[in-house]
Structures are given as C-alpha cells and as structure tokens.
Amino acid sequence: MAIKATDLFKLVSLSYPSATDDGYFVQENRISEADNTYYQRICFVNHRGGTIAYGFDQKHDRHPLLSPDQQWLAFLSQASDKTTQVFLQAVNGGTAKQFSAEKEGVSYFRWQADSQALFIQTTVGAKPKKTDKQWPQPVTVSRVPYKLNGVGLLPEHVAYELRVQRLRQKTSRLVMGREHEFEVGAISPDGQTLAFTAERLPDDPNDFSQATYLLNLADQQVTMVNDQLPQAALSPEAFSADGKQLLLVGSDNHLPNVSQSHLWHYDLATKTLQDVADDIDFDIPGHVNGDFQQDLSEKVADFATADYYLTIGFDHGKTSLYAGGPDEQLTPLIGGRRHVTDYALTPDHHGVVFTESTMTVPSRLSYFDLATEEEHVIYDPNRRVTRDMGLVTPQTFNFQRDGFEIEGWYFPPQQATASHPAILYVHGGPAVGYGYTFFHEMQFLAAQGYGVICPNPRGGLGYGEAFTAAVIKHYGQGDYEDCMASVDEALKLDTTIDPDRLYVAGGSYGGFMTNWIVTHTHRFKAAVTQRSIANWLSMYGTSDIGYFFTPWELEGKWTGDLSDVKSLWDFSPLAHIDFAQTPTLVMHSENDQRCPIGQGEEFYIGLKLHGVDTKFMRFPNATHELSRSGLPNLRLARLAALVDWFKTHSATEESHQA
C-alpha cells in the first residue's frame, strides 16, 4: 500500500510536551477532512502509553502548560464568543472551565511562580469596530511594515497589555501596557522579574534590532539586557533556578539575514552578556524544511541545573538537543538523524520528554534520561497507520563545489522500476535546509513513481555562516550550479533515473530558483513554480518583507531602494523570459503577502506571451503557507495538479527511446 495525499487526515503531529510524576501531557494536532480544517486536543499519556483526553472541546485545545505545583493544567481554547481564552483543568481530572474573559482574547499566557495566578497577554483595539452600515470601509495605514503574511493588514493605534489574574478571581488587572508588541519569554523563580522581548526602535522601519528587557514587578522599572549590543535581536528563554542567570537566543546582527542565531547567557548580578555558542558554526535553533509539523511551542533553551543548559540546534540536516555549560562546549545530547521538534524537562530535571520526527516517522513522544543517557518511545500515534504506507528512506549524497560541501537527499520511487522520472525540488528560504524530518509531499511523490532530489544549495542553513552568506549578491549563480550538480549526483546514485524525464519544482526561494532554472536551461521536461519571485523590482514594494529582504539578499545591505534598477532587474527571472521553453505550471495563493500573487501573474503572462506551454493555478483563501498549513482541500488540489502536470508533460516515446 502506498502513501496517499489523503493520508494527511490519518496522521497526527505532536507538540507542547510536559511531564508530571504520573505521566506526560502532549498536544495532538490533527487535520479534519470533514470540516476542512485543523484541530488540536490535549492528551495525558501514562507510563504504559495509554492516553486520556483532556481539554475543553478536543478541537481547539492547545498550548498546555502545567502549573509549577503540578496541580493545574492551563491551556488556550475557543470560548462561546469565538475568542481565544485561557481554560483551566485540574491535573487529577474533572471538567475544564474557562478562566480568562479578555474582550479581544488572549494571545499568550504564563504561570506565576507560586501557581496562584496567570500572566496574560492581550490587545485592546485590534478588533474592527462595528458600524451601523455593513458596507466596506476604507483603511488607512501609516506604518512600515504595515502587513504580514497570514495576518493581512496590521492593526494600528492598539494597546498591548500584560495582565495578571489570580485563580480565585474572575477579572485580571493590568501589569504593563505598551503601544507596540512585546512577548514575555521568562519569569524568575521568585516571580518578581519578567523578561520580555520587543523591537528596540519600533517606529524606525530601517532598524531590525530586538531587545530583551527585564521588568521589576515591585517598582515597575524596565532595563535593557543587551544595551551593549543595541543592534542585536535577542529573545529571553529561561531563568536559572536561583534567578541569577538568564538564557537568551538570537543574533548579534553583524550581517543582514546571515548572522547565525546563537545561545546567550546573561548574569543579572554583573550585567554581563555572553555568546556561549561563539565557538560553534551552526544555527540555534535553525529551521528544517518540511510540511507536516504543526503548532510547535518554539521552545529553544532551558536550564537543567545552574551551570548546565539545553538548547535546540540545526547542523547538517539534524535538529538536535544540545547540552553545555559556562565551561563546556555545546554538544549533541539527543542527536542522530532526526528532528527534535519540541521538548520539556521533567519536574525533577532528571529527564527530558520530547517530540521527534524522522524521515519515516511523522511524530512521536519519547523520553531521555539525563543520568543514564538512555531513551525510549512513550507514545507513537502514527505507528499502525505508517506501517502499511511503504515509506521510503532517502539516500544522502554529498559533494564538494567551490570549497563548500553540498549535501542532499534522494527519495527513490517506492516501487523500483527499470526506468523512472525524477524531480529536482528546491527548498524555500533560502536560509533553511532540508533535513531529517518527515516530509509528506516527498513521500507522496515517491509513491507516485518519482525519484525526488532534495539538495541544500549554498545560501541555506546547517553548513556554517559562510555557506549561508555565499548566496548574498549572487542569487542564481553558485546556488543554481549547486542544484544542477545535485541532479548529476542523483543520476550517479540511481542509474534507473531517466535523464529525459527530469522535472523541477520549488516554492518561495525555491519558486524563484524554478523560475531561474527554466529561464537558463532547457534540461527539464516540465516545471511547477509555487509562491515564487519573478521580478525583484515589484517584489520590493509589494511583499510584506520586500523593502528590507531585497537589499539584504541582493545587495548585502541593511537598507536599500530601487536606485540600482539594472541589478534588481538582472536578478529577476522575468528579465530572462525570452529563453524559456519549459512547460511551466504557475501556482500562487491569492492572499500571499510574502511573495504576492503579482509575482506569479507577471511570470505567467511572460511565459504566455513567449509561447511557452503554461497554466496559472490560483488558490483563494490561501497564504504563503499553503503547502504547510493551508486549507486541506487546497493542499490536496495542489498535490494533484503538480503530479498531473508532470504526467501530462512526460517525455514522448520517441525521445524516451533515443
């Protein structure tokens, strides 16, 4: 039996693990075919692997957080008025009840150290005001950036509030209000200090620093942690048990969009900030490219003891949990060929409960003993489903080009044949990377009879800062050659690939690269370009990140404009459209703010006017995240159209025999 597109509805991803003395809580993320949406529920898993459902409605229950005394489980869910609120449920069972009642809902919450109250983040004024007439009204914007992919227009003139509500009270009281967004990242063990992050200069559209601040609840004094590194972008992660140390994650921003994110240590007594990962050359936490994991906590670092900490890191396709200390280099603790997706320390700090994925394991819950370094699987909700799917284990390939190691993965067809087609699939970013995580689309394509070539060309993560920087000011050059060389490596790896039936696909940066490939070579029989970039000149002012991403990537500068029209146009695939011959399916989401649909429109029209076989597939109610978290029916339609396009444009019998 082969994996199908609709198997997305059978598979479960796990996130937000936590531990009690009696077992483990975890969030299950499911996709509903009947309701065409995504649901979350909370489960308690005992030490034997048995599960009990917790939560309010088992559909919208998410982000479970145990109270420090392990008596209460707090989580977010949907209230009767459709707002997101905090709900509480006793750990020993009972009915979950709504706790908060914020008018515009809750975006974030944290337990107070004494387990008797919750800090709650909310906004005031973000909801559109109701008018007597339900006719469309004009909207005026005055800030930059003013929109965000997946959100749309950003609200203006709103208040961002941190409030506190005690367990026996029905209302909250204001702790801190700010006119710009912020997020609480850590609370000191004595409950007297909050660490939060916010843009340092929020009114300056050309400043990309992000500061960590400490709020003293006793006197309301706010101090900046990284005042000696004002250009840095740092976020707080955790206080030590004695409250004297703070872990942060982020970059010193010495290079735009290239500087690695590292783990930082702050001593509250001496006010000393130190990069504790300055001797490594990988990203913390990094980002592995995939389409299956949903709603992760994004927890990065924590203290196991006062001088021993844990952090997520990404290196050569592996997303591992690293351990280190003030005098100990970060080394993999939970490593290997896998993706550690989420984790939490046990209450006694003797172990780690974590969720993980591999290329053939969608998601499961495991335990690691810090003393014995032994681990075991606690709960695998997908085991019975995947055992009959015939999932393939990709082969790794490596080669050297221009002093760089180029690594990639090759998914062979599920059923071996004497001759078969193959797809070069270029990832987005470019500052991400393929790696050891479950990728539904690649497994599906392998089940359809395709070999799938997934390279990590220069510009991505996982191979050092110089590797990431190599694409800056050089889009479509060395990265293009890396992709072409990866196809050659795959042909050597699998001699049953038919070189006359090669296809190319990609999204975002991978869409740019697909556009670049079809305007620079006729090697591929057909192409599918998704959420792509075709014209850097129009991308500059229409993308939610265009005005800064464009100079970052094409000029290596923090800021820029359209004065260098020639360079921006030369980097644009549309400038080379007269070379294109490859039949190309253009896919684009209508609500994509990252790579606006105009990019797809321009490339489609360019292809059409040059006589290239092309179609334009538009996805309504979809954003840049279509392939990862878009409406399920649209995700299925996208996969079906991609395969249909390649089948329609398979090589002719004559060329195949030649």
Side-chain angles (χ1 to χ4, degrees):
M1 185 182 297
I3 187 171
K4 301 184 292 295
T6 52
D7 285 334
L8 276 173
F9 303 122
K10 299 178 182 179
L11 299 171
V12 178
S13 70
L14 303 176
S15 57
Y16 282 87
S18 59
T20 71
D21 294 334
D22 299 320
Y24 312 93
F25 284 100
V26 71
Q27 176 178 313
E28 289 189 343
N29 307 293
R30 300 174 180 269
I31 307 176
S32 169
E33 183 175 17
D35 295 340
N36 198 34
T37 192
Y38 297 78
Y39 286 138
Q40 305 88 28
R41 72 169 187 169
I42 300 166
C43 285
F44 177 78
V45 185
N46 62 33
H47 293 299
R48 298 183 301 278
T51 62
I52 302 172
Y54 271 64
F56 177 65
D57 65 6
Q58 282 74 56
K59 288 185 175 181
H60 306 94
D61 306 329
R62 60 196 189 279
H63 305 185
L65 188 62
L66 280 166
S67 60
D69 63 7
Q70 294 191 51
Q71 299 301 304
W72 294 97
L73 184 73
F75 58 92
L76 297 178
S77 194
Q78 183 174 280
S80 58
D81 63 358
K82 305 300 183 182
T83 60
T84 297
Q85 302 290 347
V86 177
F87 286 70
L88 289 181
Q89 187 171 12
V91 169
N92 61 9
T95 304
K97 295 182 179 180
Q98 183 177 334
F99 173 68
S100 69
E102 302 300 327
K103 185 177 180 180
E104 299 190 34
V106 174
S107 59
Y108 188 80
F109 70 95
R110 286 271 180 153
W111 279 100
Q112 199 174 54
D114 63 4
S115 301
Q116 296 304 303
L118 284 156
F119 289 103
I120 294 169
Q121 287 187 243
T122 186
T123 57
V124 178
K127 278 190 174 181
K129 294 181 179 179
K130 292 184 179 180
T131 61
D132 294 336
K133 296 180 180 180
Q134 299 303 312
W135 297 338
Q137 300 295 314
V139 177
T140 302
V141 298
S142 60
R143 57 179 289 188
V144 175
Y146 66 91
K147 61 181 180 178
L148 182 65
N149 180 66
V151 176
L153 294 179
L154 297 173
E156 296 193 34
H157 311 298
V158 300
Y160 298 90
E161 296 183 347
L162 176 66
R163 308 183 70 87
V164 65
Q165 183 174 335
R166 299 196 66 78
L167 293 189
R168 299 185 182 278
Q169 294 178 341
K170 295 185 177 180
T171 58
S172 62
R173 66 174 177 83
L174 183 66
V175 174
M176 178 178 65
R178 294 172 69 92
E179 61 176 311
H180 296 287
E181 288 184 272
F182 67 92
E183 184 173 315
V184 175
I187 302 172
S188 64
D190 63 6
Q192 295 303 303
T193 305
L194 299 179
F196 69 93
T197 186
E199 293 179 10
R200 190 177 63 91
L201 299 174
D203 293 320
D204 184 349
N206 290 317
D207 184 87
F208 304 97
S209 62
Q210 184 171 287
T212 288
Y213 298 94
L214 300 178
L215 169 64
N216 187 310
L217 293 176
D219 59 15
Q220 292 294 299
Q221 291 296 309
V222 176
T223 57
M224 186 192 301
V225 168
N226 55 301
D227 54 341
Q228 298 301 310
L229 286 173
Q231 80 281 5
L234 302 179
S235 300
E237 284 287 320
F239 281 99
S240 59
D242 59 10
K244 297 179 180 180
Q245 304 168 76
L246 178 68
L247 289 177
L248 306 93
V249 171
S251 167
D252 62 7
N253 274 345
H254 63 272
L255 290 173
N257 213 32
V258 168
S259 307
Q260 288 179 336
S261 179
H262 279 181
L263 183 66
W264 299 72
H265 176 274
Y266 182 70
D267 188 301
L268 275 73
T270 64
K271 298 183 179 180
T272 303
L273 180 65
Q274 178 187 1
D275 180 354
V276 297
D278 62 352
D279 54 356
I280 62 172
D281 195 15
F282 60 81
D283 287 84
I284 296 173
H287 185 85
V288 62
N289 195 38
D291 66 351
F292 184 70
Q293 306 306 321
Q294 297 288 333
D295 199 24
L296 301 178
S297 74
E298 299 183 357
K299 176 187 176 74
V300 179
D302 203 354
F303 282 98
T305 66
D307 57 359
Y308 185 66
Y309 33 72
L310 309 176
T311 187
I312 297 286
F314 181 63
D315 187 31
H316 285 73
K318 307 178 188 74
T319 305
S320 307
L321 188 65
Y322 288 77
D327 302 313
E328 182 180 351
Q329 186 180 45
L330 290 171
T331 55
L333 181 69
I334 303 176
R337 296 184 170 186
R338 57 179 157 188
H339 175 197
V340 176
T341 56
D342 226 337
Y343 78 97
L345 284 155
T346 57
D348 58 11
H349 283 207
H350 291 168
V352 176
V353 56
F354 64 100
T355 54
E356 62 174 331
S357 176
T358 72
M359 287 181 152
T360 56
V361 176
S363 186
R364 65 188 177 193
L365 182 70
S366 297
Y367 174 82
F368 182 90
D369 189 299
L370 289 171
T372 65
E373 297 192 355
E374 296 178 349
E375 65 176 85
H376 65 271
V377 176
I378 301 168
Y379 173 51
D380 185 348
N382 302 298
R383 181 174 57 85
R384 292 183 179 179
V385 177
T386 56
R387 66 185 179 187
D388 296 323
M389 286 182 177
L391 300 177
V392 301
T393 300
Q395 299 168 268
T396 305
F397 60 83
N398 305 77
F399 60 93
Q400 298 289 323
R401 280 201 76 251
D402 298 340
F404 292 118
E405 175 192 10
I406 308 301
E407 185 172 35
W409 288 264
Y410 173 67
F411 290 74
Q414 190 180 95
Q415 296 295 327
T417 59
S419 178
H420 63 83
I423 304 167
L424 168 64
Y425 216 122
V426 188
H427 67 63
V432 300
Y434 284 121
Y436 296 96
T437 193
F438 182 74
F439 211 131
H440 170 265
E441 181 172 354
M442 304 310 171
Q443 291 286 352
F444 168 72
L445 293 173
Q448 294 292 309
Y450 296 93
V452 189
I453 307 161
C454 298
N456 280 343
R458 68 191 67 190
L461 297 184
Y463 306 92
E465 190 170 279
F467 186 87
T468 305
V471 78
I472 304 301
K473 299 190 288 187
H474 296 290
Y475 266 52
Q477 298 173 15
D479 50 350
Y480 165 75
E481 296 295 340
D482 293 343
C483 289
M484 295 301 100
S486 295
V487 175
D488 296 334
E489 289 295 317
L491 289 169
K492 289 187 288 186
L493 194 65
D494 183 356
T495 57
T496 63
I497 296 175
D498 183 349
D500 290 326
R501 288 189 290 166
L502 295 175
Y503 307 104
V504 60
S508 196
Y509 164 77
F512 160 83
M513 187 55 67
T514 301
N515 294 347
W516 191 265
I517 286 170
V518 301
T519 55
H520 286 79
T521 181
H522 301 148
R523 185 176 190 181
F524 299 91
K525 286 294 179 183
V528 178
T529 181
Q530 306 158 76
R531 59 188 187 278
S532 70
I533 299 171
N535 181 354
W536 288 102
L537 292 169
S538 53
M539 176 76 175
Y540 177 88
T542 58
S543 165
D544 62 346
I545 64 173
Y547 82 92
F548 57 84
F549 185 79
T550 304
W552 286 2
E553 297 295 293
L554 302 188
E555 300 177 293
K557 300 177 182 178
W558 280 109
T559 60
D561 53 33
L562 296 177
S563 58
D564 189 1
V565 172
K566 185 180 184 305
S567 291
L568 295 180
W569 183 241
D570 287 344
F571 277 122
S572 301
L574 197 60
H576 312 280
I577 198 73
D578 57 351
F579 185 82
Q581 295 180 5
T582 306
T584 302
L585 174 62
V586 180
M587 291 181 169
H588 224 107
S589 298
E590 292 186 348
N591 295 341
D592 190 338
Q593 303 284 5
R594 186 60 39 86
C595 296
I597 193 168
Q599 296 294 312
E601 291 171 334
E602 290 185 53
F603 202 64
Y604 167 72
I605 292 297
L607 292 171
K608 202 73 174 175
L609 294 181
H610 282 77
V612 179
D613 183 3
T614 182
K615 287 184 179 179
F616 187 26
M617 191 173 188
R618 301 168 66 99
F619 294 87
N621 303 317
T623 72
H624 198 66
E625 304 305 310
L626 169 64
S627 65
R628 299 176 280 259
S629 58
L631 287 172
N633 75 300
L634 297 182
R635 291 181 67 176
L636 299 188
R638 187 188 70 85
L639 290 175
L642 186 147
V643 170
D644 182 64
W645 185 258
F646 289 151
K647 286 182 178 178
T648 300
H649 295 86
S650 60
T652 64
E653 187 67 24
E654 289 77 16
S655 65
H656 178 58
Q657 290 175 348

